[in-house]
Amino acid sequence: MNELWSDCIRSLEPYTPGEQPSIAGLIKLNTNENPYPPSPAVLSALQSMINADLRLYPDPEGCALKQAIAEMYGL
């Protein structure tokens, strides 16, 4: 399989994650972590949008999207 890889891919070095300290309450600003939870308004908006459809995969043919685009362009 190695012979199928390009020189660019072959020369890549894997990502090495930084230290992940296990200190409770530690705020790691260098990893873009947020020490604050989402605002109540954000949680409310998310909860109002969550429904049983999230447990299903979307239509692989994108029929509803295609229909909407066709209607928008009068097709």
Side-chain angles (χ1 to χ4, degrees), residues 24 39-40 42-43 65-66 70:
S39 76
V42 169
L43 289 176
L65 175 61
K66 291 176 187 176

Side-chain angles (χ1 to χ4, degrees), residues 23 25-30 33-36:
I23 301 169
L26 180 69
I27 299 170
K28 300 184 319 179
L29 298 177
N30 66 331
E33 292 184 0
N34 187 344
Y36 306 108

Side-chain angles (χ1 to χ4, degrees), residues 32-57:
N32 295 324
E33 292 184 0
N34 187 344
Y36 306 108
S39 76
V42 169
L43 289 176
S44 176
L46 289 172
Q47 288 170 340
S48 72
M49 298 301 293
I50 293 173
N51 59 39
D53 292 342
L54 288 177
R55 66 184 175 75
L56 304 174
Y57 281 105

Side-chain angles (χ1 to χ4, degrees), residues 2 7-8 24 30 41 51 74:
N2 229 3
D7 291 337
C8 177
N30 66 331
N51 59 39

Side-chain angles (χ1 to χ4, degrees), residues 13-29:
E13 294 189 29
Y15 170 75
T16 303
E19 179 186 1
Q20 299 297 317
S22 57
I23 301 169
L26 180 69
I27 299 170
K28 300 184 319 179
L29 298 177

